[in-house]
Amino acid sequence: MWRLKVADGGNDPYIYSTNNFVGRQIWEFDPDFGTPEERAEVEAARENFWKNRFPVKPSCDLLWRMQFARENPCVANLPQIKVQDLEEVTEEVVTTTLRRGLNFYSTMQAHDGHWPGDYGGPMFLLPGLVITLHITGTLNVVLSIEHQREMCRYLFNHQNEDGGWGLHIEGPSTMFGTVLSYVTLRLLGEGGFGAEGAMEKGRKWILDHGGATAITSWGKMWLSVLGAYEWSGNNPLPPEVWLCPYILPIHPGRMWCHCRMVYLPMSYIYGKRFVGPITPTIISLRKELYIVPYQEVDWNQARNQCAKEDLYYPHPLVQDILWASLHKVIEPILGHWPGNKLREKALCTVMQHVHYEDENTRYICIGPVNKVLNMLCCWIEDPNSEAFKLHIPRIFDYLWIAEDGMKMQGCIGSQLWDTSFAVQAFISTNLGEEYGLTLRKAHQFIKNSQVLEDCPGDLKFWYRHISKGGWPFTTADNGWPTSDCTAEGLKVVLLLSKLPLETVGEPLDMKQLFDAANVILSLQNADGGFATYELTRSYRWVEICGMYLICNSSIDIVQEIIS
C-alpha cells in the first residue's frame, strides 16, 4: 500500500536540502503497510472514482486523508449540529461547529507543520517525465512497477468519453493532451488494448482529428525528442537568442521566469536536434500517430499545423514570416561552419543557465516542465554526469497519488501557501490559543520555509531577482519566492507574534521581518502594481504591439465566422 512520507530525504547521497527537507512530501510503496481492511478501503475508493470518473473529474485526495485519519485520530467528542434542525443559531452552536472543524483540520497537519495535498490537474506534465526517463534508459530503474501501474490508472481515469484527453483533467479533448497521454501509455507498456479499449479509442480520436502533425508546438518538441516526429516539423527555438544584447525585446532574459525557464532547456535540445533511441515502440508509434505513412508526412507544412481543438487564436502573418525566415535562412547558416561555432557557444551559455537553475533550486526547478527538460539536458550533455544523478531523487517531489492514480503535480505542492491561510483561519476564530500545538508546528514550518539567502553571483547576469527574506509557494528548497506568498508569510508571522510565546513559540527575528518587507517592496513595478517573481522587464510597446496583433487575429476569426 502507498504511504505518504513528510520531511524525509531518505538515504540517497544525491539529494540535499537547505532546511532538513521541511515541507517535502513523497509517496512510497510499502507492500507490508496497512491492514487488509485498510487496503480494502483504498480499493473501494479507487473503484468508486472509476465508476464516477466522467461526472466528477477531480479526486477527493482520499489516500492521504485515510492515512492521516488513522495516524492522527480526532479524539474530541463534539456533537454534529445541523442548522436546519435548529430554530435559532446561537453563538454556542457556531463555536461548537468551529471547534469540530478545527479539530478535524488539526489531524490533517503533517508533523513538520504543513498541510499536504494534491496539486495536480494538468495532463501534459506526466508525459514529459515518462518520455525523459524512457530516452535516458532509466524508466524501469527510477519508477517501480507500482509507480507505472498507478500512472496508467491515472491516465485511464481521466480519458474523456470521446476517447481523447484534455489539457487538464476537466478540459475537453485536445490533440496535445491526447497524443501525449497515448504515447505515455505506450511507453508504460500498454499495447493495443487498455482499460475498456482506451488505447483504441485514443488512437481513433487522434486520427479522426488529423493525426499528430496537428499537435501544438510543445507536443511537436516532445515527439521530436522521442523520435516519433521530425525536427524539421518544428518552428525554430534558436539558442543563439541568449547571446543577443539584453536591450533587445526578444532577449529571453526579458521573459517571465516560468516562460524563460521552459524555453531555456527547449532551446538547448532544439539546438542539438537531439533524438532518443529509435526502439520498436517508437517505430510503431510512427505508424500509429499519423494519417499517412511516416515517410510521406510533409514536415514543412506540419510546422504550422494546429488542431482546431488546441488553437486559441491563429498565428499573425508576421509571426509565420519570422518562423519561415529562421527555418529556411538562419538555421541552415547556423548548422554549418562557421555558423556552427556560434551555435556551440550558445549551447554552452544555455547549459550554464540550466546548471544555475538546478543548483539554486536543489534540482527541484521552478516547475515540473523545466524540471524534466533540465534533467534531459544534463543527460544529453553527459549521461554519467553528477547533475543528472542529482535530478533523479527530486522527481518524487512532484509525484502525488490519490484514488485516481499517480500524477505529476503543477508544483511540488502548495505547502507555504496553504499553511499561511490555515493559520489565518485558526486565528480568525478567536479559538487559536486552544490549538497551540497546531499553531506552534505551523509557525515553525513557516519560519523554516523562509529563503535566507540570495542566489550567488551577479543576479543581473543570471536574470534573477533578490530572494533573501522571501517565501516561496512551496518549500525553501525550491528557492523561488513570490510577492504574494511573501506577503502571506509575513502577515502570518506577525499575527502569531501577538499570541503568547508558550503557545506558538518564538517570533521570527526582526532582521528576517525586514528582509521579507524588502523583498515585497522590491517587487513593486513603476506603475504601482506588484509583480510575482520578478519585476516587469520588457517594454510597454511590446505589450501594445502584441495586443494589436491579437485583436487583429480575433477580428479575422469573427469575420470568417460571419462569412
Side-chain angles (χ1 to χ4, degrees):
M1 199 163 81
W2 290 95
R3 174 169 56 186
L4 180 65
K5 300 178 71 174
V6 171
D8 190 328
N11 299 315
D12 195 319
Y14 290 105
I15 188 170
Y16 60 97
S17 173
T18 61
N19 64 354
N20 202 28
F21 301 102
V22 168
R24 189 176 192 232
Q25 44 191 38
I26 58 170
W27 286 91
E28 178 181 84
F29 185 79
D30 183 350
D32 300 320
F33 182 60
T35 66
E37 293 76 18
E38 290 166 351
R39 295 180 190 181
E41 187 180 14
V42 169
E43 290 307 316
R46 287 170 167 165
E47 180 66 22
N48 185 62
F49 186 90
W50 174 259
K51 290 178 179 178
N52 296 283
R53 65 192 185 281
F54 295 130
V56 182
K57 302 286 188 178
S59 77
C60 295
D61 221 359
L62 292 179
L63 271 63
W64 156 66
R65 293 176 184 272
M66 290 174 180
Q67 178 184 330
F68 273 37
R70 294 191 299 268
E71 295 175 355
N72 310 307
C74 189
V75 295
N77 187 21
L78 295 170
Q80 181 179 9
I81 304 170
K82 296 183 178 180
V83 173
Q84 60 264 36
D85 296 336
L86 303 174
E87 294 182 2
E88 181 182 2
V89 178
T90 64
E91 182 177 345
E92 181 182 358
V93 166
V94 172
T95 303
T96 299
T97 302
L98 278 174
R99 284 197 177 99
R100 279 179 56 86
L102 297 178
N103 286 346
F104 169 77
Y105 205 58
S106 294
T107 67
M108 295 291 108
Q109 186 183 32
H111 65 80
D112 70 349
H114 86 280
W115 277 266
D118 186 344
Y119 197 71
M123 293 297 294
F124 59 90
L125 304 178
L126 189 60
L129 172 64
V130 173
I131 290 171
T132 296
L133 294 179
H134 170 82
I135 289 170
T136 59
T138 57
L139 180 60
N140 294 323
V141 177
V142 174
L143 300 180
S144 67
I145 189 66
E146 287 81 14
H147 282 97
Q148 296 182 46
R149 284 173 179 166
E150 291 298 338
M151 289 175 177
C152 289
R153 183 196 303 274
Y154 176 71
L155 292 172
F156 288 142
N157 268 322
H158 292 292
Q159 185 177 26
N160 291 329
E161 290 183 86
D162 63 4
W165 285 268
L167 187 70
H168 188 277
I169 60 171
E170 295 181 285
S173 298
T174 63
M175 188 64 74
F176 185 43
T178 305
V179 170
L180 289 188
S181 295
Y182 179 88
V183 166
T184 301
L185 285 164
R186 292 286 282 109
L187 296 179
L188 291 172
E190 290 295 337
F193 294 90
E196 297 183 3
M199 299 300 289
E200 289 180 323
K201 294 177 183 176
R203 182 172 180 236
K204 185 178 186 302
W205 193 97
I206 294 167
L207 299 180
D208 286 350
H209 291 78
T213 55
I215 197 172
T216 56
S217 59
W218 281 19
K220 295 179 195 295
M221 185 277 304
W222 276 122
L223 291 180
S224 298
V225 169
L226 188 62
Y229 190 97
E230 295 300 309
W231 278 111
S232 58
N234 286 259
N235 279 315
L237 283 171
E240 288 75 17
V241 292
W242 291 89
L243 301 179
C244 292
Y246 185 73
I247 194 172
L248 296 180
I250 62 169
H251 194 286
R254 295 189 176 277
M255 293 179 180
W256 186 48
C257 55
H258 273 282
C259 183
R260 181 173 73 248
M261 287 302 171
V262 167
Y263 284 104
L264 174 72
M266 275 188 180
S267 69
Y268 180 82
I269 297 168
Y270 174 83
K272 285 280 190 178
R273 298 295 200 285
F274 174 80
V275 179
I278 306 302
T279 65
T281 301
I282 305 307
I283 293 173
S284 181
L285 283 170
R286 288 179 173 184
K287 298 175 182 177
E288 296 168 31
L289 297 175
Y290 301 97
I291 58 177
V292 298
Y294 188 78
Q295 63 273 17
E296 296 179 15
V297 174
D298 185 339
W299 297 110
N300 185 57
Q301 185 182 48
R303 280 191 304 111
N304 292 314
Q305 283 184 358
C306 183
K308 62 181 177 60
E309 292 80 9
D310 299 62
L311 190 65
Y312 284 88
Y313 56 87
H315 290 171
L317 178 61
V318 66
Q319 187 175 351
D320 286 337
I321 293 172
L322 174 62
W323 289 136
S325 301
L326 287 170
H327 179 72
K328 296 181 181 298
V329 180
I330 304 300
E331 279 301 313
I333 293 173
L334 294 170
H336 299 84
W337 189 90
N340 56 6
K341 296 297 181 182
L342 183 64
R343 171 134 300 178
E344 289 174 11
K345 182 179 179 181
L347 292 172
C348 181
T349 298
V350 167
M351 280 309 298
Q352 285 181 314
H353 286 272
V354 166
H355 290 312
Y356 188 83
E357 159 72 351
D358 290 345
E359 291 161 7
N360 284 287
T361 61
R362 275 50 64 182
Y363 290 82
I364 294 170
C365 299
I366 195 172
V369 179
N370 83 312
K371 159 66 181 176
V372 294
L373 286 168
N374 280 19
M375 182 168 66
L376 181 57
C377 287
C378 292
W379 187 85
I380 294 171
E381 184 184 44
D382 179 4
N384 297 311
S385 68
E386 190 88 352
F388 179 70
K389 294 173 184 175
L390 287 163
H391 262 292
I392 297 297
R394 285 299 190 176
I395 288 171
F396 301 100
D397 293 54
Y398 280 100
L399 300 180
W400 186 268
I401 187 169
E403 67 271 20
D404 61 338
M406 179 167 280
K407 64 214 72 176
M408 193 170 190
Q409 301 184 104
C411 283
I412 58 170
S414 49
Q415 294 91 322
L416 185 281
W417 186 248
D418 292 347
T419 303
S420 296
F421 286 118
V423 170
Q424 291 179 55
F426 272 86
I427 292 175
S428 67
T429 63
N430 293 323
L431 300 172
E433 292 191 39
E434 295 182 25
Y435 298 90
L437 179 59
T438 298
L439 291 180
R440 177 183 284 267
K441 290 196 296 183
H443 191 193
Q444 192 60 46
F445 170 79
I446 292 168
K447 290 190 289 185
N448 287 336
S449 298
Q450 189 178 25
V451 178
L452 301 180
E453 298 293 339
D454 289 327
C455 293
D458 181 358
L459 298 183
K460 287 186 178 180
F461 176 82
W462 299 108
Y463 317 115
R464 295 293 287 262
H465 195 75
I466 65 169
S467 44
K468 183 180 180 180
W471 272 280
F473 183 66
T474 57
T475 68
D477 279 347
N478 169 259
W480 277 92
T482 61
S483 57
D484 51 352
C485 293
T486 302
E488 297 299 341
L490 179 58
K491 179 180 179 179
V492 166
V493 293
L494 290 174
L495 287 171
L496 288 167
S497 70
K498 297 180 180 180
L499 297 178
L501 295 184
E502 58 271 19
T503 301
V504 299
E506 293 291 330
L508 194 67
D509 183 79
M510 185 62 70
K511 179 65 168 62
Q512 290 172 259
L513 294 176
F514 172 83
D515 290 339
N518 183 57
V519 167
I520 296 172
L521 292 172
S522 74
L523 286 166
Q524 186 175 31
N525 282 310
D527 63 1
F530 286 84
T532 50
Y533 294 86
E534 51 201 18
L535 294 168
T536 299
R537 296 177 176 182
S538 194
Y539 303 103
R540 178 66 176 167
W541 62 266
V542 174
E543 183 177 353
I544 293 172
C545 288
M547 290 303 298
Y548 173 77
L549 292 172
I550 291 171
C551 288
N552 276 357
S553 297
S554 300
I555 292 170
D556 290 341
I557 294 171
V558 172
Q559 289 176 339
E560 184 176 341
I561 293 172
I562 293 173
S563 61

